[in-house]
Amino acid sequence: MIKLFTELKRVADRRRGVCLTRGNVMNVIQKTGKFYSRIIMKNIGIFVFIGLLSVVFQTEGWFPNEDIYAISQVAYRYVLPCMIAYEGGNLLSDSFGGLAAVMALCGILLRDPEAGIFGAMVSAPLGGYLWKKEREFLERDCFAETKMLFRNLLLGLTGAVLAVGEYYLLAEAVTVFAVAAGSCIGWILEHGYIAVLNVLIEPAKVFFLNNIMNHGILVPLGMSQAEQTGGSLLFLLETNPGPGLGMLLGLLLYKRKNVKRRQELATAAFTQAIGGIHEVYFPFVLADLGLLLPLIVGGVAGSIWFSVFHCETAGVISPGSVLTILIMAGRSSMLPVLGGILVSTAVSGVGSYLYLCWRGERKEVPQSEIPESEKQEELEKENTEMSGLERELETASEQEEKPMPENIYQNLHKIGFVCNGGMGSSAMGAALFRRALKTAGITGIQVGVYAADLIEEDIDLIVCQKEFYALNPQLHEKVCHVIAGFTDREEYTKLIQCIQDAQNGGTR
């Protein structure tokens, strides 16, 4: 699958002159996924609010109370869809675009309140994009004295037209889609095929698509299912920290004699289990893609356990830490959910350790004992052109060795830590770096966190992980300090040393 992805990318790169290429299609899919992921992540607090009320006050909760539980249902049916629509419209244009999206959503909510989240995902881009075009008209052709009047009239008219149009034209289609998606998920659960999804989920996570996979796909479907049954297994699929934790523990056991590596892996394992930040283990897998197999097997084992023991959580899990999962699991599912996490951890850990031992032994086999056919295959592989992913990773390595622009470290005012969503691993790295700056006594440098496609123009220096840099060509045009991992404190020590040398008149 990885080879197929990279080959498709290579073909697309060779056909840049063609209007519609596979690369363009992949780019559109990725941007769409990021759009929906971002508007969902902006409202994670409301998802957690609904989940907590459900866990505590539903019929099988800790303190059953129908009246308080009803608050969560109001939030699910009306407040959450409106907020998702608003964030989407605001993201595409401005706050007025968000209002247009909310007004448009009213048509779908009237027809079917149960399909509110799916309706919001339609209304958000529709209202936001339409208002963006209308705003351009207002700014270009409307007099300043009458701009406010025409803006309000046009906004009200746009909302009314969209609401009526969605009521008659889109509401039925959204309802059919919601029912079909629910039926499909029900069929998968009923026939025990839920574990097959991990074959897609684990590789997608490693290539920094975890937020898109979870918040863009699984969360909306899970919320729809939770509304009907009180909980959903879908919330556990991507957020399960077991596969990544097991892989890190397997690496830790294999590298136990390497003190520096052991400390780094122990930090990453703790961050994965307690902090719930999955991105910390992605670089280890990208450095050796063979580790994808035990990750997938561990995820499948956990999902099978969750399915057999009917595990579920009442609401969205964010971040995906063991503590958060147990809180959202509630009284009835707490122990079974913990068992599934432990099973996936054990399977992934044992598989990773066995794979590393096999790979190590393979490297130590004398050349005389390797069959000639295998020698020839390895030689041909070395002589063939590198795959797209390998080439990009090599480019990232070369970028690390290039000298930075003159005086870049001397005139630093704003540093941006960048990851896919701008809320997970980069936030952790930024926090560690702020602490390191404070310890070193360096002031006057602002440290922020950004998604890869939302980097501000006034950023002096970008800090990102090596593999993430390789997979995001738009970063190659910016001034980047590429590091091995956000949990590696030595990387921050080196960066601070560069800053101190520059401020003291030294050279890098």
Side-chain angles (χ1 to χ4, degrees):
M1 185 178 67
I2 297 168
K3 288 184 178 179
L4 176 60
F5 173 81
T6 53
E7 288 302 319
L8 288 176
K9 190 176 185 304
R10 287 174 61 193
V11 173
D13 289 340
R14 292 174 181 174
R15 300 178 182 178
R16 292 183 184 274
V18 181
C19 180
L20 182 63
T21 65
R22 295 175 182 177
N24 290 335
V25 172
M26 288 294 295
N27 189 39
V28 170
I29 293 174
Q30 190 174 36
K31 284 186 176 180
T32 303
K34 282 187 176 182
F35 171 76
Y36 285 118
S37 173
R38 190 163 289 123
I39 62 177
I40 292 290
M41 291 176 70
K42 285 279 188 179
N43 293 283
I44 283 296
I46 302 179
F47 281 101
V48 175
F49 164 78
I50 295 171
L52 286 176
L53 288 181
S54 300
V55 167
V56 177
F57 297 109
Q58 67 179 334
T59 305
E60 299 179 357
W62 294 97
F63 306 102
N65 187 312
E66 291 184 3
D67 295 331
I68 301 300
Y69 175 66
I71 296 176
S72 69
Q73 302 311 294
V74 172
Y76 168 76
R77 294 184 180 183
Y78 301 105
V79 178
L80 181 60
C82 287
M83 291 304 299
I84 291 175
Y86 178 83
E87 286 294 343
N90 184 43
L91 187 62
L92 282 178
S93 54
D94 55 20
S95 59
F96 294 104
L99 293 176
V102 172
M103 288 185 281
L105 177 63
C106 292
I108 292 178
L109 289 178
L110 179 61
R111 285 286 293 269
D112 186 5
E114 304 297 330
I117 293 181
F118 294 102
M121 291 187 162
V122 174
S123 302
L126 189 60
Y129 180 78
L130 184 58
W131 179 254
K132 181 180 179 181
K133 295 301 180 182
E134 292 174 346
R135 184 184 63 186
E136 294 174 357
F137 162 75
L138 287 173
E139 293 176 352
R140 184 182 64 249
D141 299 326
C142 189
F143 294 110
E145 296 81 1
T146 59
K147 182 177 292 185
M148 181 180 293
L149 173 64
F150 281 108
R151 183 185 64 196
N152 290 332
L153 289 174
L154 186 58
L155 179 62
L157 178 62
T158 300
V161 171
L162 287 177
V164 173
E166 289 194 3
Y167 178 84
Y168 285 107
L169 301 177
L170 291 179
E172 190 65 30
V174 171
T175 300
V176 170
F177 174 79
V179 172
S183 300
C184 180
I185 292 299
W187 183 87
I188 290 175
L189 290 173
E190 182 180 350
H191 290 79
Y193 295 143
I194 194 71
V196 177
L197 293 177
N198 289 95
V199 178
L200 301 175
I201 291 174
E202 297 303 329
K205 286 167 65 176
V206 169
F207 285 97
F208 298 94
L209 300 175
N210 51 318
N211 290 323
I212 297 174
M213 180 65 67
N214 189 36
H215 299 137
I217 300 174
L218 297 177
V219 165
L221 293 175
M223 289 298 294
S224 178
Q225 187 179 23
E227 169 66 14
Q228 301 173 8
T229 64
S232 177
L233 185 152
L234 298 178
F235 297 137
L236 291 165
L237 296 183
E238 189 274 340
T239 55
N240 179 12
L245 177 60
M247 187 274 296
L248 290 171
L249 293 177
L251 270 171
L252 181 61
L253 182 61
Y254 184 76
K255 301 281 188 180
R256 60 186 181 275
K257 295 181 180 179
N258 187 328
V259 177
K260 178 183 179 298
R261 201 65 165 168
R262 187 176 66 219
Q263 292 175 345
E264 182 183 355
L265 287 165
T267 301
F270 179 83
T271 304
Q272 164 74 351
I274 305 302
I277 301 176
H278 299 318
E279 289 91 341
V280 295
Y281 73 83
F282 297 170
F284 297 102
V285 183
L286 290 170
D288 187 352
L289 293 177
L291 290 170
L292 269 176
L293 181 58
L295 268 180
I296 293 173
V297 176
V300 168
S303 294
I304 291 175
W305 176 283
F306 293 146
S307 181
V308 169
F309 290 93
H310 305 288
C311 299
E312 58 186 23
T313 62
V316 175
I317 300 163
S318 182
S321 73
V322 175
L323 297 179
T324 308
I325 290 175
L326 294 181
I327 290 172
M328 299 304 293
R331 183 170 55 184
S332 59
S333 296
M334 186 175 291
L335 289 179
V337 166
L338 179 60
I341 295 174
L342 294 177
V343 166
S344 57
T345 301
V347 172
S348 177
V350 172
S352 299
Y353 181 74
L354 293 177
Y355 163 75
L356 291 168
C357 291
W358 171 82
R359 189 197 60 180
E361 291 175 358
R362 181 75 175 171
K363 288 183 177 180
E364 294 174 2
V365 173
Q367 289 292 318
S368 58
E369 297 182 13
I370 299 179
E372 289 297 327
S373 58
E374 293 190 17
K375 285 184 181 179
Q376 185 64 27
E377 289 179 3
E378 291 182 3
L379 183 61
E380 291 177 358
K381 184 177 180 180
E382 290 177 359
N383 291 333
T384 54
E385 185 180 6
M386 288 190 301
S387 68
L389 178 61
E390 289 172 335
R391 191 188 311 110
E392 289 176 352
L393 291 176
E394 184 68 23
T395 301
S397 299
E398 294 174 358
Q399 176 72 14
E400 274 189 290
E401 300 173 1
K402 291 179 181 178
M404 288 290 182
E406 188 176 357
N407 297 329
I408 184 64
Y409 292 109
Q410 189 174 359
N411 301 314
L412 280 180
H413 300 289
K414 196 170 184 179
I415 297 177
F417 278 66
V418 175
C419 68
N420 188 54
M423 298 180 69
S425 58
S426 59
M428 177 192 63
L432 291 174
F433 186 65
R434 290 191 196 102
R435 192 179 307 165
L437 284 175
K438 185 177 181 180
T439 302
I442 298 176
T443 59
I445 296 179
Q446 180 182 349
V447 181
V449 181
Y450 304 91
D453 54 343
L454 292 176
I455 301 173
E456 297 178 358
E457 293 295 330
D458 60 343
I459 298 294
D460 299 314
L461 180 67
I462 292 172
V463 179
C464 64
Q465 294 186 107
K466 172 183 174 182
E467 290 78 10
F468 184 76
Y469 174 87
L471 295 172
N472 289 270
Q474 71 268 25
L475 296 176
H476 299 177
E477 301 176 359
K478 302 180 181 294
V479 181
C480 295
H481 184 93
V482 183
I483 63 177
F486 284 129
T487 59
D488 192 344
R489 297 175 187 270
E490 287 193 9
E491 295 281 5
Y492 303 135
T493 302
K494 294 176 182 177
L495 178 54
I496 287 176
Q497 188 62 52
C498 291
I499 296 173
Q500 290 177 329
D501 290 344
Q503 290 179 348
N504 294 330
T507 57
R508 188 181 175 207

